[in-house]
Amino acid sequence: MDKSEGQQLLTGAQKGRHEEFKSFVRLDVEPFAEQWDREQRLPESVIDKLAKRGYLGCSLPREYAGQGWDTVTFDLLNEALGRGSSALTDVVTVQAMVSMALLKWGTTEQKRKWLPPLAKGEMIGAFALTEPGAGSALQSLTTEFTPNSKGDCLLLNGHKKWISCAQFAAVFLVFGTLGQRSAACLVPRETPGLHIEAISDLMGFRAAGLAELHFHDVEVPSANLVGKPGFALSHVAQVGLHYGRISTACSALGLLRGCFEESIAYAGTRKIGDKTVGDLGMVRSLIARMGTDLEAGSLLCHNACRAEDSHLPEAFEKTLMAKYFTSRAAVRAASGAVQIKGASGCHGSSPVSRYYRDAKIMEIIEGTTQIHEDILGKIFVDQAGRFGK
Amino acid sequence: MTTTDEKGIKETVKRFISSSISIAKLDDDDNLFESGIVNSLFAVQLMTFIEKTFAIEVGTDDLDIENFKSLNAMTAFVLQKNGHPNG
């Protein structure tokens, strides 16, 4: 039984859903995660299961066929899934990034058209922001939208890379420039001129369906623009990245929990002479760090999600802190878990070897650790320098 | 003075900005975006603060730099969203 402080803060409904999520992961995710990782693909059947359970539209309001769950429940879903498979959790992450950006900045017509199929999982979305030459430096985007002479269509040219879920997504939220202004536009997969090239052999997140997108004179209706040109990076992308960070922070927490649980189970049973591995002081040190990071990360995630549920402006920086903390703690924990399990932890049959590879990806996606430090450092320094005091 | 009159709205927004970013002085017509003191993260935080504090929703039609560029602009925007005739 989880007696952590984070668990004590949950409502009865949240605890009930958390048990449901954990049961789903135990039965339908954990037994297959290694195979998905090895084959570098997620079967349609497991994405269908996410859809049928409402997990792909869990944060969207009921009026758009979503579940209307609060952000704390979204946290619990991502943590439970992250314990089982980072790659599968990435589908939930990206779906939330596209859906929540559209919910905030889409027109009424766009929301009516796109959100119900996204909420029901009939359509998977992908967030096409990163380019070969523009990762964290978003101002360097070279993908271009050009209006046609009538003004009813845009011609899209450019190249996106490292786009999660792009191998199977049905619609892409593509970021680029329109004249001198940033722009975001929904582009259906079947649009002529869009070529999708799968990326394989990643270190981690191997089943997350990453791909490159090549746009050659792709014609999209101007009605597909999301938000006004000039606000795509500052507002549309920010909302998407915010939900991406919430999801990734909680997914990393789940991975950390997996490392902790694998480590204590092994330490308590693996014999060395008449002692167990857990009797060794250096192993206890590794487990102590993991357990403490788990409690701290759980509270940081919970605080960020509660702030989001209360629609507080500090939700953004609390989410940055949670993602910054849990992604780094996951890397430490995965390294420790492999160390504790020794040779058996280095083999693909042990989840900790996959955790070790997936954890590092958590420090890269939705803003690198260094970008988080730059933003958070500035926020803290600014708070100390109010009005020059 | 309440948070629903012009002076109250302006003071409330000014307090939030001054507690969040390092700025020596902020006049009512200073352009926050041209000065470079507002980054994209703070722009969204500021929007969220305005939504929460004044119980309004900023939608895609409101995405206009003229609505957020200064204390006077934000005050007028809030008044207008709340149906004030001078907004």
Side-chain angles (χ1 to χ4, degrees):
Chain A
M1 183 181 168
D2 188 346
K3 293 181 179 174
S4 68
E5 187 70 23
Q7 278 290 314
Q8 307 306 316
L9 296 169
L10 301 179
T11 65
Q14 288 165 344
K15 284 179 183 170
R17 290 221 168 90
H18 196 198
E19 289 307 313
E20 175 206 315
F21 302 151
K22 288 192 288 187
S23 171
F24 169 69
V25 170
R26 203 162 41 242
L27 294 173
D28 292 301
V29 179
E30 285 178 10
F32 311 102
E34 188 273 328
Q35 181 187 347
W36 301 337
D37 182 72
R38 183 164 26 86
E39 296 176 354
Q40 302 193 47
R41 64 177 290 277
L42 294 168
E44 278 181 31
S45 58
V46 73
I47 297 177
D48 286 347
K49 284 178 185 172
L50 292 179
K52 285 195 175 75
R53 288 171 169 269
Y55 296 170
L56 293 172
C58 63
S59 299
L60 287 170
R62 289 189 176 277
E63 66 175 298
Y64 294 114
Q67 301 296 317
W69 292 346
D70 56 33
T71 316
V72 170
T73 305
F74 182 65
D75 161 349
L76 300 171
L77 172 65
N78 282 277
E79 190 203 323
L81 286 171
R83 167 76 170 84
S85 165
S86 301
L88 184 64
T89 318
D90 206 27
V91 181
V92 174
T93 304
V94 175
Q95 193 82 341
M97 291 171 78
V98 173
S99 302
M100 300 310 278
L102 191 55
L103 178 68
K104 178 62 189 168
W105 297 119
T107 62
T108 304
E109 293 74 24
Q110 287 172 337
K111 288 192 271 194
R112 283 185 186 145
K113 178 179 178 181
W114 300 99
L115 288 181
L118 285 166
K120 289 186 263 187
E122 295 165 353
M123 176 182 278
I124 299 296
F127 201 77
L129 180 60
T130 307
E131 297 184 356
S136 295
L138 299 180
Q139 308 301 329
S140 312
L141 295 182
T142 58
T143 296
E144 282 185 319
F145 297 97
T146 313
N148 69 355
S149 54
K150 288 185 190 170
D152 59 345
C153 277
L154 299 165
L155 215 55
L156 168 59
N157 282 284
H159 181 193
K160 297 288 178 182
K161 195 169 184 181
W162 314 117
I163 308 303
S164 289
C165 306
Q167 289 181 27
F168 46 81
V171 65
F172 301 90
L173 182 57
V174 181
F175 293 84
T177 57
L178 177 59
Q180 298 300 310
R181 297 173 298 174
S182 66
C185 190
L186 289 163
V187 181
R189 183 185 190 91
E190 297 78 18
T191 313
L194 167 57
H195 173 64
I196 300 168
E197 185 181 355
I199 299 173
S200 58
D201 299 331
L202 284 155
M203 178 176 78
F205 280 54
R206 291 164 71 88
L210 272 74
E212 294 187 46
L213 306 176
H214 301 271
F215 301 97
H216 297 294
D217 292 338
V218 172
E219 199 174 85
V220 284
S222 301
N224 284 13
L225 278 172
V226 178
K228 286 185 183 172
F231 293 87
L233 293 181
S234 62
H235 288 68
V236 182
Q238 278 294 346
V239 169
L241 288 169
H242 176 54
Y243 275 87
R245 288 181 187 128
I246 291 173
S247 175
T248 303
C250 302
S251 177
L253 183 68
L255 189 150
L256 171 51
R257 185 177 298 285
C259 294
F260 177 71
E261 290 175 359
E262 287 285 331
S263 297
I264 57 174
Y266 187 81
T269 54
R270 175 78 157 88
K271 293 282 185 186
I272 305 176
D274 59 348
K275 293 185 175 179
T276 62
V277 169
D279 290 324
L280 301 174
M282 52 280 240
V283 170
R284 289 182 182 176
S285 295
L286 290 170
I287 289 174
R289 288 173 207 151
M290 277 184 221
T292 307
D293 279 348
L294 186 61
E295 179 85 6
S298 174
L299 290 172
L300 283 170
C301 287
H302 189 81
N303 281 345
C305 292
R306 283 181 63 181
E308 179 62 24
D309 282 330
S310 299
H311 200 52
L312 299 176
E314 52 265 41
F316 291 89
E317 61 198 65
K318 286 182 184 295
T319 298
L320 285 162
M321 282 190 264
K323 195 269 182 183
Y324 174 63
F325 182 88
T326 59
S327 60
R328 288 162 60 249
V331 169
R332 289 194 297 270
S335 175
V338 171
Q339 201 69 30
I340 289 169
K341 293 191 83 170
S344 66
C346 299
H347 192 262
S349 59
S350 170
V352 299
S353 69
R354 176 166 42 83
Y355 290 154
Y356 186 75
R357 291 182 287 103
D358 285 341
K360 192 63 191 171
I361 308 294
M362 305 282 194
E363 272 201 280
I364 310 288
I365 56 176
E366 274 59 275
T368 63
T369 289
Q370 288 68 34
I371 289 290
H372 279 67
E373 287 174 345
D374 188 56
I375 297 171
L376 286 168
K378 182 178 187 313
I379 287 171
F380 295 143
V381 170
D382 279 352
Q383 286 171 356
R386 294 171 192 173
F387 272 84
K389 287 174 188 170
Chain B
M1 183 180 82
T2 69
T3 53
T4 55
D5 64 30
E6 184 176 343
K7 192 175 175 189
I9 293 166
K10 198 177 295 181
E11 282 304 312
T12 303
V13 175
K14 188 172 185 175
R15 269 199 305 277
F16 175 72
I17 294 172
S18 62
S19 68
S20 305
I21 58 176
S22 184
I23 180 169
K25 184 169 168 291
L26 183 60
D27 289 333
D28 293 353
D29 277 316
D30 284 350
N31 191 313
L32 291 160
F33 294 89
E34 280 181 2
S35 62
I37 55 175
V38 170
N39 59 24
S40 60
L41 178 67
F42 186 68
V44 179
Q45 285 183 296
L46 184 56
M47 177 199 75
T48 306
F49 173 79
I50 287 172
E51 286 185 325
K52 171 82 177 175
T53 307
F54 305 110
I56 59 175
E57 183 168 0
V58 178
T60 195
D61 291 339
D62 303 314
L63 282 179
D64 187 332
I65 204 75
E66 293 299 316
N67 289 332
F68 300 97
K69 67 180 182 182
S70 67
L71 282 172
N72 276 339
M74 285 182 268
T75 304
F77 172 69
V78 171
L79 287 169
Q80 173 251 316
K81 288 292 279 188
N82 281 332
H84 192 283
N86 296 328

